[in-house]
Amino acid sequence: MVSSVWRFAHLALAVLSFSFLIVASVTGVILAIDTVNEKIPAYKNANFDELTLSQTLPKLREVYPEIIELSIDHNQFVTIEGFDDEGNDFKFIADPVSGEKKADPIVKSEFIQWITSLHRSFFLHETGRFIVGIVSFLLMLIAVSGIALVVKQQQGFRKFFAKINREFFEQYFHIAAGRLLLLPILIISITGTFLFLVRFDVIQKEEFVPTEIQNKEAKEIPLKDFPVFKEIYLKDVKKIGFPFADDPEEFFKIKLKDKELLVNQITGQIVSETKYPVTTVLETLSLDLHTGRTNSIWAILLAIASLNILFFIYSGFVITFKRKAVKILNKFKPDEAEYIILVGSEKGSTLHFADKILKQLIANGKTAYLTNLNDYNVFESAKQLIIFTSTYGSGDAPVNANQFEKLLEKFPQTNKVNFSVVGFGSIKYQDFCAFAYKVHQLLADKSWANPLFDVYTVNDKSANDFISWVKDWSKTNEIPLTLTPAVYKQKTPKLKSFKVLAKTNVSNDNQTFQITLKPNSRTAFQSGDLLAIYPDKNQTERFYSIAKIKNNIHLVVKLHENGLSSQFLHDLSVNGKLQAAVISNKSFHFPKKASKIIMIANGTGIAPFLGLIKENKSKIPTHLYAGFRNQNDTTSAYKTFLEEEIKQKKLTGFNFVFSREDQSEYVMNSIERDAELFAKTLENKGIIMICGSLNMQKDVEQVLDRICLEINNKPLNFYKENNQIKTDCY
Amino acid sequence: MKILTKIQAFTIFIFLFSLSAVAQNSKYKCMLQMTNYKGLEAYVVVSLIDAKGKYEKTLYVMGTDKQWYNGFKDWYKNQSKKNEKLSAVTGASVAAGDRSITTFTIDESKMSKGYKLRFETAVEDQKYFAADVEIPLTTEAITQKTDGKGYIRYVKLNKVQ
């Protein structure tokens, strides 16, 4: 709960102030650049830091008898003002030793004045200054709540600068840049707030109280011998007022950074001293820090920080929208669904996995419903609960799951329900998947709930981790689910353009067609990778296994009457273009170190094997078993192709069976016939690759399991765990 | 040589004479000292006021940001009618405790005829002094130190010889 308060505060403050912050940071960047720019001209005396007043004032007064004022700005440029011999007033930047004119006083351009006014008050005078003040106070709160969020997420101050769990660009850089620029931003906002408080008298400035100094009688001494002038360095001075005339009532008025002195112009004695109150000193310091006017490097840093505030606004909102953008499309109502998938996720990444499972369940003819953990309720038809949840901070619930515990107590299910919990997180964090374990425990305590397994965990969105749950859940519930990791991968792939080189036609007895694609730009792919196709704009992708033949992508597609994507591919014309993404599927690449390879396919599942066989450069003994419905042009083309490969010694032999011909046979029958070969291959560390439908995979695995137990006395799982069974089925 | 020198001297004499005859302008150095009031920099407007109390000419404006000029209520009202060009007579605003110097040119023919110099002062969010300092244009009054009623401690004018 605490964390969501911080996050809510962080977001609410940002929403409240972002439009003003945009103006303040854009103008801030411009002003910082102007500040740096201002320091570039060389009006500063080379020995400026070592000059005392006695080295400068007497000479200046000699050159300009009617000098009235000397002031030193934050650039350490010395400006003098007075009347010349003709009685005209002058004011210019001068060298403090020779008095030589260097330049006219710096006047801020109209543009910079305009920007300054915009920065300070949005042209709204007093109201504007008040708004700017409040906004800088809000910025301070945003920075503080930001610190709290980083501490929370990194699990403690000590790990403040530890590695960040990267999810996407905006999220990563929001935190990374936030940590680095925290200090400048805090300083900008604190000084801004302080200036605002002083300006509006919330912090009262104390009165200046001069202390009179009683001096003994003294005689007249020349200006250059004034002891006080020998002690004061020019670099500590802000302003010096010269006495108007030889009137003893007129004094040298020397303003230093922390005090003001009045010096008798005849005797050189200090007549009075006014120490500036702390508020005034702090105000000057705040102004220096807020504007960077005294130090170019700091000014540049301020510019970067201001620029980054803009970036924070952008990335912060992107993060927020990504979190909100997670939309759930349900086909069934909660009360009619047997399978209820509940998701707890901060950023929607977990939802991606849930969505893949939901779609497959529905494709298998099951009634399934997907929702947030916070929408937990009584589900009247529920038989299975599937819970995917991440963990926030150190073991807390993610935002959309923080009510779950309460709701679970309130709504017991009416039926007996099996449940399974999968935790998502990163092992970089100490409390890896802590909330998932908690949910598991809470459910296990309910009499109506029966755990199918212990908690499964997925580290860093690993599709392979996730598959181990899919495998077990799919087996237990006898619902085939795809085990191809690439299908569960997170990243939205980058679309590339492909040219259609060739395409075969379908006929009445042959609904299968082949399509050859050539990438228009450099694209790396191998046989066994997947090509993701997006037939409509709602981003539901379809995958096809790739055969790499002569550096082109070769797909085998079965045309389904209502199949959106097979129709889409069929409608492509030769030389036409296609936008698609290649998704690496390492688990189905050609095995380089194998004593023997057996490939099993049904229907279009033969596609990747056509390419994989071609990649068999080291001529590993390889057998292919494939099952089809009918004998037709396509299957004869395969035969021709494979016979050529046998000549090249890339393939040892192949076996085709047909289910709808006179002698109806399935691929399982061939396997049973050659049981010895399969058992031996596995025993000798050979590899079996299966590609095709999930139902075929299920049947094949059953047969193989029986064979393995009979001949090798080991279950198929033994070889599976040994990575000897590779599958690409969906 | 001698003749030439005489001609030169005569020419210079004629030139100076005609100059003083056309406009008897005198230049004055003006020094202004602010009090240690609490607040931001003050804006100051110096005007020449005629015998009827009307604004005749703006001599100097301290403060460059025009958005604050409407703080000088009387002057601003007059200014919007007259639309004087102020850029040549505009300088920086003055902070509390600071000094400011400038020079004015005053037509000698206006002396001792009821004219006066008026110094108006305004500070953001604080009281506006419509006549912080007023100096009558007489030979005695003009060279005296004149104390202010508001943000100005005193003003002192010196004629440039």
Side-chain angles (χ1 to χ4, degrees):
Chain A
M1 258 333 267
V2 181
S3 54
S4 54
V5 169
W6 280 116
R7 173 172 291 171
F8 178 77
H10 194 68
L11 179 63
L13 291 165
V15 168
L16 213 63
S17 57
F18 82 96
S19 51
F20 294 111
L21 274 178
I22 289 173
V23 178
S25 6
V26 172
T27 51
V29 174
I30 297 169
L31 292 176
I33 292 167
D34 180 64
T35 304
V36 176
N37 226 6
E38 204 184 73
K39 293 181 189 300
I40 293 173
Y43 304 145
K44 187 180 159 184
N45 185 291
N47 301 318
F48 183 83
D49 288 346
E50 286 128 46
L51 290 175
T52 62
L53 293 190
S54 53
Q55 285 169 289
T56 55
L57 296 194
K59 174 74 178 172
L60 287 177
R61 216 183 193 187
E62 198 186 305
V63 182
Y64 307 102
E66 281 191 85
I67 181 170
I68 299 294
E69 197 173 85
L70 174 152
S71 55
I72 297 166
D73 65 10
H74 46 267
N75 302 317
Q76 302 188 315
F77 300 161
V78 178
T79 304
I80 56 173
E81 200 177 346
F83 295 105
D84 62 15
D85 296 341
E86 275 112 54
N88 294 316
D89 55 314
F90 67 81
K91 185 178 184 178
F92 50 75
I93 298 173
D95 184 89
V97 179
S98 66
E100 179 199 348
K101 178 175 174 177
K102 290 268 187 183
D104 283 323
I106 297 172
V107 181
K108 293 278 183 191
S109 67
E110 291 258 331
F111 173 70
I112 291 298
Q113 279 190 37
W114 189 81
I115 291 287
T116 310
S117 176
L118 183 58
H119 186 82
R120 281 188 192 154
S121 63
F122 303 125
F123 307 128
L124 295 172
H125 296 192
E126 212 56 10
T127 326
R129 284 176 187 272
F130 191 80
I131 296 171
V132 173
I134 295 292
V135 166
S136 62
F137 178 66
L138 291 181
L139 181 62
M140 189 171 91
L141 296 184
I142 291 172
V144 171
S145 56
I147 298 173
L149 283 173
V150 176
V151 169
K152 191 84 191 152
Q153 194 153 21
Q154 299 291 88
Q155 298 175 343
F157 271 109
R158 256 178 298 159
K159 292 186 195 156
F160 196 76
F161 284 100
K163 213 172 160 225
I164 305 160
N165 191 24
R166 182 177 178 146
E167 284 172 48
F168 51 93
F169 173 80
E170 285 86 358
Q171 169 262 355
Y172 180 81
F173 282 94
H174 195 83
I175 303 172
R179 295 189 306 193
L180 286 176
L181 293 168
L182 203 66
L183 201 64
I185 289 175
L186 258 182
I187 290 173
I188 290 173
S189 57
I190 291 172
T191 52
T193 309
F194 183 79
L195 290 170
F196 157 69
L197 293 176
V198 173
R199 177 71 183 67
F200 281 86
D201 280 335
V202 179
I203 295 175
Q204 295 274 339
K205 263 207 238 179
E206 299 100 280
E207 295 277 343
F208 291 4
V209 190
T211 324
E212 304 293 333
I213 296 166
Q214 297 301 325
N215 290 303
K216 287 180 197 156
E217 283 290 315
K219 53 178 194 283
E220 188 175 337
I221 52 170
L223 206 55
K224 65 177 169 51
D225 292 333
F226 280 18
V228 57
F229 283 6
K230 287 181 181 164
E231 282 161 21
I232 295 175
Y233 284 92
L234 206 55
K235 65 177 160 84
D236 298 323
V237 171
K238 289 174 84 179
K239 206 176 249 182
I240 297 172
F242 289 74
F244 277 149
D246 293 338
D247 179 351
E249 292 301 301
E250 285 280 335
F251 302 104
F252 279 102
K253 189 175 179 183
I254 303 170
K255 283 187 180 179
L256 299 169
K257 280 176 182 148
D258 55 345
K259 61 186 174 187
E260 213 172 287
L261 300 174
L262 285 186
V263 176
N264 185 305
Q265 62 164 322
I266 296 160
T267 63
Q269 287 167 323
I270 299 173
V271 181
S272 96
E273 181 179 311
T274 311
K275 279 226 160 72
Y276 291 145
V278 188
T279 326
T280 309
V281 177
L282 280 178
E283 194 187 6
T284 312
L285 181 69
S286 290
L287 211 54
D288 288 349
L289 286 172
H290 194 83
T291 58
R293 60 183 186 179
T294 49
N295 187 316
S296 296
I297 294 165
W298 179 244
I300 291 168
L301 209 64
L302 291 178
I304 294 171
S306 289
L307 210 56
N308 259 280
I309 291 176
L310 294 174
F311 177 75
F312 289 138
I313 294 170
Y314 160 76
S315 57
F317 281 117
V318 168
I319 294 170
T320 308
F321 286 126
K322 276 212 175 162
R323 267 173 208 157
K324 306 266 171 204
V326 175
K327 271 187 204 147
I328 302 170
L329 290 170
N330 272 306
K331 196 176 165 188
F332 298 100
K333 295 207 173 75
D335 283 344
E336 60 190 30
E338 284 183 30
Y339 298 85
I340 306 290
I341 307 174
L342 298 171
V343 171
S345 171
E346 284 290 323
K347 284 143 200 166
S349 53
T350 308
L351 192 62
H352 170 87
F353 289 101
D355 194 54
K356 295 280 175 192
I357 298 299
L358 175 77
K359 290 215 168 101
Q360 291 187 69
L361 288 174
I362 291 171
N364 274 297
K366 307 291 179 193
T367 51
Y369 180 76
L370 168 62
T371 191
N372 292 319
L373 273 164
N374 272 356
D375 296 323
Y376 174 86
N377 211 312
V378 178
F379 301 105
E380 280 176 11
S381 320
K383 286 185 183 160
Q384 295 271 356
L385 279 185
I386 301 171
I387 289 148
F388 294 165
T389 184
S390 60
T391 299
Y392 185 72
S394 44
D396 291 338
V399 178
N400 68 343
N402 54 15
Q403 301 300 313
F404 175 70
E405 195 173 345
K406 246 188 272 171
L407 294 168
L408 186 66
E409 294 306 317
K410 206 166 154 192
F411 303 115
Q413 297 301 326
T414 44
N415 309 323
K416 287 265 174 203
V417 175
N418 289 329
F419 75 89
S420 171
V421 178
V422 185
F424 293 80
S426 169
I427 47 170
K428 272 181 235 151
Y429 296 142
Q430 231 169 17
D431 303 285
F432 177 54
C433 292
F435 183 68
Y437 288 106
K438 186 178 176 185
V439 169
H440 184 92
Q441 197 48 54
L442 289 170
L443 278 166
D445 290 345
K446 300 283 170 278
S447 56
W448 50 264
N450 165 48
L452 281 182
F453 331 105
D454 273 345
V455 174
Y456 278 73
T457 57
V458 176
N459 174 34
D460 207 12
K461 292 176 232 162
S462 155
N464 287 323
D465 286 358
F466 184 64
I467 290 229
S468 40
W469 174 83
V470 177
K471 212 186 275 175
D472 290 350
W473 194 89
S474 159
K475 200 169 147 195
T476 312
N477 293 288
E478 297 187 329
I479 299 169
L481 297 174
T482 179
L483 299 180
T484 306
V487 173
Y488 299 103
K489 287 254 163 73
Q490 285 287 307
K491 275 183 206 147
T492 332
K494 210 176 161 188
L495 290 184
K496 292 204 165 172
S497 164
F498 295 88
K499 186 182 168 188
V500 181
L501 286 187
K503 203 187 74 182
T504 62
N505 290 317
V506 294
S507 59
N508 280 339
D509 66 332
N510 181 10
Q511 291 294 302
T512 305
F513 65 96
Q514 298 184 34
I515 187 162
T516 311
L517 303 166
K518 184 185 173 195
N520 283 332
S521 57
R522 266 179 60 114
T523 310
F525 61 90
Q526 285 188 40
S527 296
D529 284 342
L530 302 175
L531 191 71
I533 313 264
Y534 300 84
D536 56 359
K537 296 217 167 78
N538 73 11
Q539 290 287 307
T540 45
E541 68 237 300
R542 298 297 155 91
F543 298 102
Y544 293 91
S545 291
I546 291 174
K548 182 179 180 177
I549 299 172
K550 289 176 190 158
N551 284 324
N552 290 322
I553 290 178
H554 199 80
L555 305 180
V556 180
V557 185
K558 187 171 181 198
L559 182 63
H560 295 274
E561 233 171 89
N562 298 317
L564 199 59
S565 73
S566 63
Q567 287 288 354
F568 172 78
L569 285 174
H570 188 251
D571 291 345
L572 289 173
S573 51
V574 175
N575 287 329
K577 266 190 189 170
L578 168 72
Q579 296 288 322
V582 169
I583 292 165
S584 169
N585 186 17
K586 276 187 194 145
S587 64
F588 214 68
H589 284 171
F590 190 82
K592 285 184 186 101
K593 287 176 193 162
S595 58
K596 196 173 261 185
I597 300 168
I598 303 177
M599 298 167 168
I600 304 169
N602 75 333
T604 57
I606 195 171
F609 295 135
L610 300 177
L612 285 167
I613 290 166
K614 281 230 169 256
E615 283 171 31
N616 186 7
K617 282 174 193 136
S618 43
K619 293 171 185 158
I620 299 169
T622 302
H623 297 264
L624 172 69
Y625 288 81
F628 305 96
R629 287 191 178 180
N630 309 99
Q631 222 164 346
N632 54 29
D633 294 353
T634 310
T635 55
S636 354
Y638 293 151
K639 274 186 179 164
T640 324
F641 178 89
L642 294 172
E643 272 154 11
E644 181 58 33
E645 297 307 311
I646 292 176
K647 275 185 202 158
Q648 306 270 338
K649 306 246 165 82
K650 287 185 176 170
L651 183 67
T652 317
F654 66 91
N655 179 297
F656 279 9
V657 288
F658 302 94
S659 60
R660 304 228 174 137
E661 297 291 335
D662 293 344
Q663 204 191 354
S664 171
E665 266 195 321
Y666 290 89
V667 78
M668 281 69 74
N669 305 117
S670 329
I671 295 172
E672 271 172 351
R673 208 181 303 131
D674 296 344
E676 281 291 333
L677 173 71
F678 283 85
K680 247 189 205 157
T681 302
L682 287 176
E683 199 49 32
N684 296 335
K685 306 227 161 91
I687 282 175
I688 294 179
M689 299 177 84
I690 310 170
C691 184
S693 73
L694 281 165
N695 281 322
M696 182 271 298
Q697 181 194 345
K698 208 170 103 186
D699 294 341
V700 166
E701 286 186 355
Q702 260 176 18
V703 174
L704 285 177
D705 192 40
R706 209 167 56 227
I707 292 170
C708 291
L709 284 172
E710 271 171 25
I711 304 175
N712 296 346
N713 272 325
K714 280 172 194 152
L716 182 66
N717 255 339
F718 173 83
Y719 303 105
K720 270 191 178 176
E721 275 157 26
N722 222 4
N723 283 327
Q724 285 176 266
I725 312 290
K726 291 175 179 287
T727 63
D728 183 24
C729 300
Y730 33 90
Chain B
M1 274 306 278
K2 237 179 178 180
I3 295 171
L4 204 66
T5 323
K6 271 183 186 167
I7 293 173
Q8 260 183 350
F10 184 72
T11 318
I12 290 167
F13 174 76
I14 292 291
F15 177 74
L16 285 174
F17 180 77
S18 61
L19 198 72
S20 60
V22 172
Q24 286 188 316
N25 280 347
S26 299
K27 202 152 68 179
Y28 285 86
K29 295 194 275 192
C30 169
M31 288 171 283
L32 179 143
Q33 171 72 54
M34 305 300 281
T35 64
N36 282 323
Y37 66 89
K38 265 175 81 181
L40 296 175
E41 287 101 333
Y43 272 45
V44 183
V45 172
V46 187
S47 316
L48 182 67
I49 307 291
D50 69 13
K52 289 174 198 149
K54 281 189 179 149
Y55 287 95
E56 182 160 309
K57 192 182 168 194
T58 303
L59 297 175
Y60 202 67
V61 182
M62 300 174 206
T64 51
D65 198 344
K66 292 185 183 65
Q67 64 164 319
W68 304 113
Y69 286 179
N70 59 8
F72 300 99
K73 289 183 195 80
D74 297 348
W75 175 81
Y76 188 75
K77 217 188 291 165
N78 186 262
Q79 197 59 35
S80 36
K81 274 183 260 163
K82 248 162 93 183
N83 223 342
E84 279 180 288
K85 278 194 179 155
L86 297 173
S87 56
V89 293
T90 304
S93 53
V94 222
D98 273 6
R99 298 162 157 181
S100 180
I101 57 157
T102 184
T103 42
F104 313 129
T105 320
I106 295 168
D107 188 347
E108 283 293 315
S109 64
K110 306 243 160 95
M111 292 301 267
S112 310
K113 284 186 183 154
Y115 281 88
K116 57 189 172 187
L117 293 177
R118 177 183 290 168
F119 291 71
E120 292 168 61
T121 51
V123 170
E124 197 184 330
D125 264 346
Q126 292 190 49
K127 215 182 148 194
Y128 152 59
F129 289 93
D132 200 330
V133 171
E134 281 193 329
I135 305 170
L137 275 198
T138 60
T139 21
E140 311 88 69
I142 204 158
T143 48
Q144 266 164 32
K145 210 175 186 181
T146 316
D147 289 338
K149 297 182 193 114
Y151 307 112
I152 299 176
R153 173 161 291 148
Y154 64 81
V155 173
K156 193 169 187 313
L157 294 173
N158 277 328
K159 191 172 179 181
V160 178
Q161 298 304 321

